[in-house]
Amino acid sequence: MATNSASSNPIGDKTGPISGKPPSASAETKAAISNSSNADPTGQSQGGQDGGPGPEGAEKVKTEKELEKDRKKAEKAKKFAEKKIKTLNASNAPGASKNQAKKAKADAAKEEPLAEYVEETPAGQKKILKSFDDPLYKAYNPTVVESAWDSWWEKEGFFKPEFDSQGEVKKEGYFSIAVPPPNVTGALHMGHALTNALQDTMIRWSRMRGLTTLWLPGCDHAGIATQSVVENMLRRRQNKSRHDLGREKFTDLIWDWKEEYHTKINAAHKKMGVSFDWTREAFTMDENLSAAVTETFVQLHDEGIIYRANRLVNWCTKLNTAISNLEVDNKELEGRTLIDVPGYDRKVEFGVITHFQYQIDDSEERIEVATTRPETMLGDTGIAVHPKDERYRHLVGKSARHPFVDRLLPIFADEYVDPEFGTGAVKITPAHDPNDFTLGSRHNLEFINILTDDGTMNSNTGKYEGTKRFDARYSVVEDLKARGLYVRKEDNPMKVPLCSRSKDVIEPVMKPQWWMRMRELADAAIKVVKDGEIKIRPESAEKDYYRWLGGINDWCISRQLWWGHRAPVYFVQLEGETTDDGEGHHWVAGRTPQEAEEKAKAKFPGKRFELRRDEDVLDTWFSSALWPFSTLGWPKKTHDYAKLYPTSILETGWDILFFWVTRMIMLGVKMTGQVPFREVYCHSLIRDSEGRKMSKSLGNVIDPQDVITGIPLQGLHDKLALGNLDPKEMTTATKFQKAAFPDGIPQCGADAVRFSLISYTTGGGDINFDVRVIYGYRKFCNKIYQATKYVLRNLEKEFVPQKRPNKTGKESLSERWILHKYTVAAKEINQALADREFQKSTLLVYQYWYNHLCDVYIENSKTIIQEGTEEEQQSAINTLYTALEGALTLIHPFMPFLTEELWQRLPRRPDDSTPSIVKASYPTYDASLDDPASEAAYELVLSVSKGVRSLMSEYSIRDDGKLFIQAYDHVTYQTAKDQLQSIKSLSGKGIGSIDVLSKDEEKPTGCVVFAVSSGAAVFLHVKGRVDIDAEINKAKTKLQKASEVTSRQQQILNDPKYQEKVSKELQEVERRKLADSEAEMRNYEESIQHFERLKLE
C-alpha cells in the first residue's frame, strides 16, 4: 500500500509538531481540574476563589459519610485530569516517537469515559444526527450508528415492493425471497445471522438496481421442537404433563409462548438491519398458510398420492411421536460404548453383539443366532438361513421354541441371508427391524409389537410386561444365562439411531400413519433442475440433490403431537361395523367437516356413520414445503402470488437440502405447476473455532446479538444457566466458553458481523467462527467512519456537488486513477454478486475502500487540498465526493447502518431528492471513467514512491537522499518526468534530489537498487554512507530469491499442460511476472558489479 510517509496521523487530523512545548490543556481537562479542586474537602481551592463560602453562601454541614464520598469522587477526578495531561505532554515531548504519541493518545482516549448513549429520535422518525464533535460521535460507535434507522426505514415503507400504476413489477424486473423461517423456539444463532446477511445483501443490491423487491419474513411453528420445549418447561415449572392440561389448554399455552419468543426473534432480526417487509410477515400456522396445508393434503389424498399404511416408523419414545429418517442422527460406534439415554439413571450398553441359542422344537438340537438388541428377541417370529447352507438345510421347515413366551419360530430359507456373516442363522423380528419387515412380509410371518409408546414392554412379552426396554435388555441376557442358552458377547461396530431433538434411541415400530408417495414427485423435481429451470449452487449441492432424489423413499407425514396442523382427514365409522383404522379405505379428506361428510356419503351410500377426525398433526416440513407460494397467498389468486412467484432464490444451509429444499421443489411443481424459485444457493455451515458443529451441550452456540452488542464471560455463563443443560453438559460448555472467550465477546456491531460472515462465504467448505475476525472488521468500519469525517470536513458549507459524477477534463492523474478504480470496482462487484461470489464481492469492496480510497487517494489528496490552486482544490474535492459517495453506495448492501448514518451527512447532488441510501441507485460501470492508461501511470508513481521510501528506510538515509529513476521505455520515462513532483510528495521526507534517467543513460554508480517492474527501477546513492560488503551480501541474497522466482515462472510457462489448459489472459499475467523477475535479477547483478567496482575505487 502506498501512503504518505510524511504523515502518520489519523485521517483528517492535522500534522502536529514532533518537538517543542506541550500544547495547552483542553477544555475538558481544564474542567476536570476545576471540578476536582472545587470538590476537594481538604481545603485546596480553585485559583481566584476564597478558601470557603461566606455567610450568604453557607451550606448545610455534610455528614462524615457524605464528606468521605465527596473526597473519593474528587480524588478520582483529579487523578484522571493529571493522567490525561501527563499522557498528552508525553506524547508531544521532545524526542517522543510518532508511535509513542499515537499510543499515548489512544491510551488517553481509552481512559475518558463516555456517557451512555440515549437516542433522542422518536421511534419511526428520521434520525437526529449530531455533530462529529460530540464525544459520542468522534469515533465509530456501533451503538450510536445503528440506533433509530430501522424504525424509520420501516415506517417509511422503504422495504415494500414497488409496482407501477398498472400493478405490474417495474421494467427492471423483480427479485423476491421468502426467508427460511426460523423455528419459533428461542434465540437466533450465527447460522441465521449468515442467512440474513447474504439475503439482505442480495435484496438491498436488487432494490438499489431498481427492481421490484420483496423479502418476506416469517417463522415456523416447529412442531416437535416447540412442543418439546414447552412440555419441558411445564414439567419444570408446574410438574405437570400436557395430558394434565388437555389438548386445548396445552396448545393455548404454546400460543402464549410462541408470541413471547416470536417477538424476541423479530427484535433480533431488526438488530441485524434486515430489510424485511414486515407488513407481509407470515407464520406457518396463520390462517392462509393453514388453508394451503389443507388444500394440499386434500388434493393429494384424493389423487392417492397421500395414503394410509401400517408400516415401520422411527419412533421416539421420549417425544411419543414418529419422526422422519432425516430427523435421525446415526451415532457411529467402534465397539462397546455406554450411552446416556433419556429416562435411565445409568448408561446403557451399545456396540456389542450377543450370541444365544434357540431350542429346536421336539429336538435336543439348538440353533445359534446373534443380535445387538437382545430385548427384541421377545418379538422374534422366525429364523432365516441361506437355502444353500448345508449346516441348516435339515432344519428348514422346522420350528424353534421361544424360551420366554409361548411361540414357535418357523425356520425358513431366503437368499437374503449371508451364510458367511455370524452364525449364518438370522433371528427375524418383523415388527421392529426394517430388513426383518421385508423378510417377514415375504414369508408371511407374524408381526408382533413388543413396545408401548413410552418404551416399556407390552403384554406380548409375558413376564417382562411393564419393564423399560433397556432394563429388559439386561434381564433377557440374565434369563438366557439361567436357561443355558447364552453363548457369548463381543464388541461389534454399529450405528445407534438417535432422535435429533431428544437424543432418545429410536425404535423401529409398526404404526398406521399417513404417507406420501414420492417417486413421481421426485422425477418431476429432477427434471426441472436438469432442464435449467432451477440453478443449484454450488455444484456439489446439485449432485447431492440428484443422488438423494434418485433413491427417495415414501415420506411418513404423520406426527403424534398436539402442536401443528391437524390432518384434515376423517375416519368413517360405519354403524354396526368394526373397522380397522389402520387401512385407508374408511378415511376421507375434507377442507371442512361438511365436505368430508359429503365424500363419506358418496363413498358409502345408504350407510349410517359417524366421522372422527384424525388426532395426528402433519410433519412440520409438510407446511414448510409450501412456504414459497403459501406466503404469497396461494391457494388464493393474490396479486403477490401473480406477480412475485416464482420467487427468485432460495438461500439456505446445505444441511437442509433434503429436509426442505427438495420438498419445496416437489410440492411447488405439483401444486402450482411452476418451480418455487429460480435458483438455490446453499451456504456453508458455521462451526466453532475448533471446527466443531455448534451445539448447546458444547456451549459453542453463539447468539449474534452477543457479538453485536458484546458480552462479558460471566454473561455467557449466565445464559448457559438459563438453558436445559444437565450438569455434565454445563461443565463442558462452561469450559469451552472460558477457553474460547476468556475476556468475553467484544462489541462488534451489526455491520461488522454481516460483512465478516459474507466474507467467509465461498460456497465451499464450512466456516470456523472466530470473533477476532469480526472485531477486525469493526476496525474497518471505523476506517470508513473516519474517512467520511475527513471528506466532510474538507467540504465547504456551501459546497454543491456536480449534478452527475462525470469527468470535467481538469482531473489530475490521481483523480483519474481513483475514478478508474471506482468504476472498475462497481463493474466487478456487480458481477460478483450476480454470480453469487460473495467472498469476492466483499474483497473487492474492501480493496476499493481500504487500499484505494483511504490509503491512497484520501492520503494523497491532502497535499492538493492544502497546497493546490483553487481550481486543483475544487477538482480534488469534487472527485473526493464522487469517490466517497460511490464507496458508501457500493458497500451499503453489506453495511446498511453505517452507510445510512454517513450518507445522510453528505450534501445531495442538484435535483437529487433520494430520501435514503436504501433507495439510492447502485453504482454501475461507467466507460467514461475507465482509464487504464491513467491507472498504469499512477501505479507507476505509487510503485516508484514506494521504492524510494523502501530504500530510504532500509539504508537509514534520513536526509539529503540522492535518488534516480531509470525508465526502460518511453511511456514510463515520460510518466516519471511528468509526475516527478507527485513522486517527490509521496516519497516522504529526507529527499535531496530525484533525477529521471532514460534507458540509454548509464546506470548511476555507488547506488543500491529497487526493482519497480520491468519498466523502471529506483536507485539510491549510498557510497560513503553504508557498509559495501554488507550491501553486496544483501544484493546476492535478493538476487538468489529473484532467480528462484524466475526459474519457477519459466517452469510454469514452459509446461505444455499449462499452455493447453490456462487461458491466454492468465498466461500473459504470468509472462509479465517473469519479465519483472528477470528485470529484478538484472538490476541486482548490476548493483553487485557497481559495489564491487566501488571497493576498487
Side-chain angles (χ1 to χ4, degrees):
M1 292 177 285
T3 58
N4 186 347
S5 61
S7 174
S8 61
N9 299 320
I11 292 172
D13 283 6
K14 294 180 179 179
T15 302
I18 60 170
S19 62
K21 70 175 184 177
S24 58
S26 67
E28 293 95 328
T29 303
K30 289 177 180 176
I33 297 171
S34 174
N35 290 339
S36 67
S37 57
N38 277 334
D40 191 348
T42 62
Q44 300 296 319
S45 304
Q46 183 181 3
Q49 191 177 27
D50 291 335
E56 292 181 4
E59 297 177 343
K60 175 187 173 184
V61 178
K62 294 187 176 183
T63 65
E64 192 172 330
K65 196 170 184 180
E66 287 172 328
L67 287 171
E68 177 64 15
K69 186 177 180 182
D70 285 350
R71 184 185 67 76
K72 289 181 178 178
K73 186 177 179 181
E75 283 184 354
K76 188 175 181 181
K78 192 174 180 182
K79 284 179 181 177
F80 167 69
E82 290 170 349
K83 187 168 185 179
K84 186 170 183 183
I85 289 179
K86 187 176 179 181
T87 54
L88 286 172
N89 288 350
S91 67
N92 292 281
S97 71
K98 288 183 180 179
N99 286 339
Q100 288 172 326
K102 192 173 181 181
K103 183 177 185 302
K105 191 170 183 179
D107 289 343
K110 284 181 185 176
E111 288 293 333
E112 187 172 358
L114 288 175
E116 184 178 348
Y117 179 72
V118 177
E119 182 55 65
E120 298 176 7
T121 308
Q125 298 299 307
K126 187 173 182 179
K127 187 173 182 178
I128 300 168
L129 295 175
K130 295 189 177 181
S131 167
F132 284 132
D133 293 329
D134 186 300
L136 287 166
Y137 284 81
K138 283 185 175 179
Y140 170 68
N141 182 338
T143 304
V144 175
V145 166
E146 294 168 10
S147 177
W149 290 118
D150 182 77
S151 63
W152 178 61
W153 290 333
E154 187 179 342
K155 185 178 180 183
E156 292 296 315
F158 291 150
F159 304 151
K160 292 181 180 179
E162 295 180 350
F163 301 93
D164 66 18
S165 56
Q166 280 73 48
E168 298 295 328
V169 299
K170 295 195 283 186
K171 59 182 175 56
E172 291 82 1
Y174 75 87
F175 189 84
S176 63
I177 303 177
V179 72
N183 291 346
V184 61
T185 52
L188 300 183
H189 52 66
M190 291 304 291
H192 295 115
L194 173 60
T195 294
N196 283 346
L198 292 172
Q199 293 183 17
D200 198 34
T201 295
M202 290 187 283
I203 281 286
R204 288 180 182 270
W205 174 62
S206 299
R207 186 182 294 119
M208 294 174 79
R209 288 164 53 232
L211 281 73
T212 298
T213 56
L214 172 62
W215 191 17
L216 194 149
C219 279
D220 193 291
H221 68 280
I224 292 177
T226 302
Q227 178 164 318
S228 176
V229 169
V230 177
E231 280 195 86
N232 288 337
M233 179 187 70
L234 184 65
R235 190 179 304 110
R236 287 197 312 271
R237 294 181 182 178
Q238 300 182 31
N239 196 29
K240 290 181 178 180
S241 72
R242 61 179 160 125
H243 300 285
D244 294 325
L245 269 63
R247 186 166 189 156
E248 186 176 344
K249 287 186 177 180
F250 180 71
T251 52
D252 286 344
L253 179 65
I254 297 181
W255 274 109
D256 292 340
W257 187 90
K258 172 262 175 190
E259 290 302 321
E260 177 187 348
Y261 280 86
H262 193 172
T263 302
K264 289 180 180 178
I265 287 171
N266 286 356
H269 276 311
K270 291 178 180 181
K271 255 202 170 310
M272 284 287 296
V274 297
S275 56
F276 286 146
D277 178 3
W278 289 104
T279 65
R280 287 170 164 82
E281 184 184 8
F283 179 58
T284 47
M285 288 179 65
D286 285 346
E287 182 180 351
N288 191 73
L289 276 74
S290 296
V293 168
T294 298
E295 181 66 28
T296 302
F297 187 99
V298 172
Q299 279 194 43
L300 298 183
H301 181 269
D302 288 351
E303 292 181 32
I305 293 174
I306 290 178
Y307 62 94
R308 184 85 166 169
N310 189 14
R311 292 183 179 173
L312 280 180
V313 296
N314 299 307
W315 187 259
C316 175
T317 64
K318 167 75 172 171
L319 301 178
N320 258 234
T321 184
I323 62 174
S324 74
N325 289 340
L326 295 173
E327 293 165 307
V328 177
D329 296 329
N330 287 303
K331 185 180 180 68
E332 298 265 3
L333 303 182
E334 293 182 359
R336 182 176 183 271
T337 306
L338 297 178
I339 296 178
D340 281 311
V341 179
Y344 290 82
D345 295 330
R346 63 175 182 174
K347 291 186 176 184
V348 179
E349 181 183 65
F350 293 88
V352 295
I353 188 165
T354 300
H355 293 252
F356 67 95
Q357 296 172 329
Y358 275 118
Q359 188 79 42
I360 303 300
D361 191 41
D362 295 329
S363 170
E364 296 298 315
E365 192 174 357
R366 294 179 177 182
I367 186 170
E368 184 178 325
V369 294
T371 180
T372 58
R373 301 155 64 207
E375 69 280 7
T376 63
M377 62 90 66
L378 298 169
D380 286 356
T381 59
I383 298 172
V385 297
H386 194 277
K388 294 181 180 179
D389 193 332
E390 295 295 336
R391 293 172 296 175
Y392 305 116
R393 182 173 289 182
H394 67 289
L395 295 178
V396 173
K398 296 185 177 181
S399 296
R401 180 164 293 281
H402 200 287
F404 305 130
V405 291
D406 186 16
R407 189 185 309 149
L408 290 176
L409 314 181
I411 301 171
F412 61 92
D414 194 292
E415 290 187 348
Y416 165 80
V417 177
D418 180 0
E420 302 299 322
F421 182 78
T423 65
V426 181
K427 60 183 281 301
I428 305 299
T429 321
H432 292 284
D433 183 275
N435 296 321
D436 294 1
F437 177 91
T438 303
L439 284 173
S441 301
R442 191 153 62 226
H443 294 275
N444 297 314
L445 297 184
E446 191 177 2
F447 285 68
I448 297 176
N449 176 35
I450 62 172
L451 292 171
T452 63
D453 287 352
D454 62 0
T456 58
M457 311 310 285
N458 65 18
S459 58
N460 291 325
T461 62
K463 68 174 184 177
Y464 301 97
E465 182 178 1
T467 306
K468 292 198 293 187
R469 56 185 165 148
F470 294 127
D471 290 340
R473 171 173 294 186
Y474 294 104
S475 298
V476 164
V477 170
E478 290 304 313
D479 289 346
L480 286 170
K481 289 178 178 178
R483 291 179 178 247
L485 297 173
Y486 175 83
V487 179
R488 67 182 181 280
K489 178 176 70 175
E490 56 193 13
D491 280 9
N492 181 66
M494 64 179 293
K495 294 178 181 179
V496 177
L498 302 178
C499 173
S500 61
R501 297 291 180 189
S502 68
K503 305 309 175 188
D504 191 16
V505 176
I506 292 300
E507 290 291 345
V509 174
M510 294 279 293
K511 290 279 184 182
Q513 305 280 285
W514 293 107
W515 296 78
M516 186 183 293
R517 196 171 69 245
M518 303 304 290
R519 185 66 270 153
E520 62 195 79
L521 300 180
D523 289 342
I526 290 171
K527 184 177 185 299
V528 294
V529 175
K530 286 191 172 179
D531 290 350
E533 292 186 59
I534 299 177
K535 170 68 177 175
I536 299 180
R537 307 174 198 245
E539 189 178 327
S540 58
E542 183 177 328
K543 291 177 180 177
D544 287 341
Y545 175 85
Y546 290 137
R547 177 180 53 79
W548 189 73
L549 286 179
I552 197 169
N553 296 313
D554 285 1
W555 175 17
C556 174
I557 58 175
S558 298
R559 295 294 180 268
Q560 289 65 49
L561 303 170
W562 288 354
W563 174 246
H565 296 100
R566 195 167 169 184
V569 63
Y570 301 79
F571 181 69
V572 183
Q573 180 62 61
L574 299 175
E575 187 175 290
E577 294 185 21
T578 302
T579 310
D580 179 13
D581 67 3
E583 54 86 29
H585 180 66
H586 281 72
W587 290 88
V588 291
R591 295 167 184 83
T592 63
Q594 293 75 24
E595 181 184 356
E597 186 173 358
E598 291 303 314
K599 285 183 176 179
K601 287 178 180 177
K603 195 171 190 178
F604 302 102
K607 300 267 188 172
R608 296 172 63 86
F609 60 81
E610 288 185 1
L611 292 182
R612 170 173 55 83
R613 187 170 182 177
D614 194 353
E615 293 287 326
D616 288 356
V617 301
L618 300 175
D619 183 1
T620 297
W621 295 105
F622 186 89
S623 56
S624 298
L626 314 179
W627 184 255
F629 47 97
S630 64
T631 53
L632 293 173
W634 186 91
K636 297 176 184 175
K637 304 300 183 184
T638 63
H639 180 262
D640 281 357
Y641 176 66
K643 302 302 178 185
L644 300 176
Y645 185 82
T647 60
S648 304
I649 188 171
L650 186 281
E651 190 285 321
T652 189
W654 61 258
D655 57 325
I656 55 174
L657 180 66
F658 312 128
F659 280 96
W660 190 40
V661 179
T662 55
R663 289 167 174 170
M664 280 190 287
I665 295 173
M666 286 187 283
L667 287 180
V669 171
K670 175 64 180 175
M671 303 310 298
T672 72
Q674 300 181 77
V675 294
F677 27 72
R678 302 293 185 191
E679 182 183 350
V680 176
Y681 181 88
C682 296
H683 66 239
S684 306
L685 299 187
I686 298 182
R687 300 183 180 274
D688 69 15
S689 55
E690 298 175 15
R692 300 178 302 176
K693 188 173 181 179
M694 289 192 171
S695 160
K696 289 179 182 178
S697 61
L698 293 175
N700 59 359
V701 174
I702 308 299
D703 184 339
Q705 290 193 82
D706 291 339
V707 187
I708 291 170
T709 61
I711 186 172
L713 178 61
Q714 187 56 49
L716 291 170
H717 292 343
D718 293 343
K719 290 183 80 167
L720 279 181
L722 295 174
N724 297 317
L725 299 183
D726 66 31
K728 292 178 183 177
E729 290 176 329
M730 181 71 77
T731 301
T732 301
T734 303
K735 185 178 179 181
F736 172 80
Q737 288 183 340
K738 285 179 179 178
F741 311 111
D743 301 314
I745 298 176
Q747 182 189 36
C748 297
D751 287 319
V753 170
R754 289 168 59 114
F755 195 84
S756 61
L757 291 176
I758 299 166
S759 72
Y760 272 127
T761 305
T762 62
D766 290 345
I767 297 168
N768 286 3
F769 173 83
D770 190 341
V771 73
R772 293 170 298 182
V773 173
I774 298 178
Y775 192 72
Y777 282 117
R778 175 188 162 143
K779 294 178 181 178
F780 176 46
C781 291
N782 186 57
K783 187 85 168 177
I784 294 171
Y785 192 85
Q786 298 300 341
T788 306
K789 275 177 63 178
Y790 166 74
V791 174
L792 290 171
R793 282 176 175 170
N794 280 282
L795 300 181
E796 300 291 341
K797 286 185 179 179
E798 62 276 9
F799 172 78
V800 178
Q802 299 166 263
K803 189 168 184 177
R804 290 192 53 75
N806 298 327
K807 283 183 180 178
T808 63
K810 299 176 182 179
E811 288 81 10
S812 65
L813 178 62
S814 61
E815 291 173 67
R816 298 196 301 274
W817 176 83
I818 191 62
L819 292 173
H820 168 81
K821 291 293 187 184
Y822 164 54
T823 198
V824 170
K827 178 182 181 180
E828 293 180 345
I829 293 166
N830 276 298
Q831 190 60 54
L833 288 173
D835 294 339
R836 312 303 181 221
E837 293 183 320
F838 295 106
Q839 184 182 61
K840 183 178 180 180
S841 68
T842 58
L843 177 62
L844 290 167
V845 77
Y846 180 91
Q847 285 177 335
Y848 174 68
W849 259 105
Y850 206 106
N851 298 349
H852 302 149
L853 182 58
C854 292
D855 277 4
V856 177
Y857 184 69
I858 287 180
E859 286 294 332
N860 298 348
S861 69
K862 290 179 180 178
T863 304
I864 299 174
I865 291 172
Q866 293 169 7
E867 301 172 9
T869 65
E870 186 176 341
E871 184 178 78
E872 289 172 337
Q873 289 177 345
Q874 187 61 36
S875 181
I877 287 173
N878 269 314
T879 299
L880 203 53
Y881 177 91
T882 295
L884 177 69
E885 179 195 45
L888 288 171
T889 48
L890 279 173
I891 206 169
H892 170 72
F894 308 93
M895 294 184 171
F897 291 118
L898 178 59
T899 48
E900 184 75 277
E901 179 87 11
L902 299 175
W903 185 89
Q904 289 289 350
R905 296 174 183 270
L906 292 181
R908 298 268 68 78
R909 295 185 185 276
D911 302 327
D912 181 7
S913 58
T914 308
S916 165
I917 194 170
V918 169
K919 308 291 281 185
S921 295
Y922 199 77
T924 56
Y925 173 72
D926 183 348
S928 69
L929 302 181
D930 195 345
D931 190 350
S934 292
E935 178 191 32
Y938 200 59
E939 297 287 356
L940 175 68
V941 170
L942 296 174
S943 298
V944 168
S945 60
K946 176 184 176 182
V948 172
R949 293 196 308 274
S950 178
L951 290 175
M952 294 284 285
S953 172
E954 184 176 353
Y955 295 98
S956 302
I957 305 298
R958 293 185 173 84
D959 54 53
D960 199 26
K962 187 177 180 181
L963 293 116
F964 304 88
I965 304 167
Q966 186 157 39
Y968 302 131
D969 59 69
H970 176 71
V971 174
T972 303
Y973 176 80
Q974 198 59 50
T975 301
K977 291 285 282 186
D978 294 344
Q979 298 297 321
L980 187 56
Q981 189 54 46
S982 292
I983 292 171
K984 286 181 178 178
S985 68
L986 294 173
S987 295
K989 295 182 178 180
I991 307 299
S993 65
I994 303 181
D995 293 318
V996 180
L997 307 176
S998 71
K999 64 177 181 177
D1000 298 323
E1001 294 180 73
E1002 288 289 327
K1003 282 185 168 51
T1005 59
C1007 294
V1008 289
V1009 64
F1010 181 96
V1012 174
S1013 67
S1014 58
V1018 177
F1019 296 87
L1020 172 65
H1021 190 269
V1022 293
K1023 182 181 178 182
R1025 306 182 75 166
V1026 298
D1027 181 338
I1028 290 178
D1029 286 329
E1031 296 313 317
I1032 290 173
N1033 289 332
K1034 277 186 187 178
K1036 285 181 177 178
T1037 300
K1038 291 177 180 178
L1039 174 61
Q1040 177 62 32
K1041 288 181 180 178
S1043 176
E1044 290 171 359
V1045 172
T1046 299
S1047 178
R1048 256 196 323 270
Q1049 289 301 114
Q1050 288 171 338
Q1051 287 178 355
I1052 291 171
L1053 288 165
N1054 293 332
D1055 185 346
K1057 290 183 180 178
Y1058 174 85
Q1059 294 171 358
E1060 178 186 342
K1061 294 181 179 180
V1062 177
S1063 68
K1064 298 296 182 186
E1065 292 81 4
L1066 288 177
Q1067 290 187 46
E1068 182 57 35
V1069 170
E1070 296 302 323
R1071 273 193 287 272
R1072 285 199 296 271
K1073 288 181 183 179
L1074 174 61
D1076 288 346
S1077 65
E1078 287 174 338
E1080 196 174 1
M1081 283 180 62
R1082 287 194 298 272
N1083 284 321
Y1084 290 135
E1085 287 167 349
E1086 290 170 2
S1087 289
I1088 293 168
Q1089 292 171 11
H1090 282 309
F1091 280 125
E1092 293 290 359
R1093 284 198 295 270
L1094 280 174
K1095 288 175 67 176
L1096 300 175
E1097 292 177 4

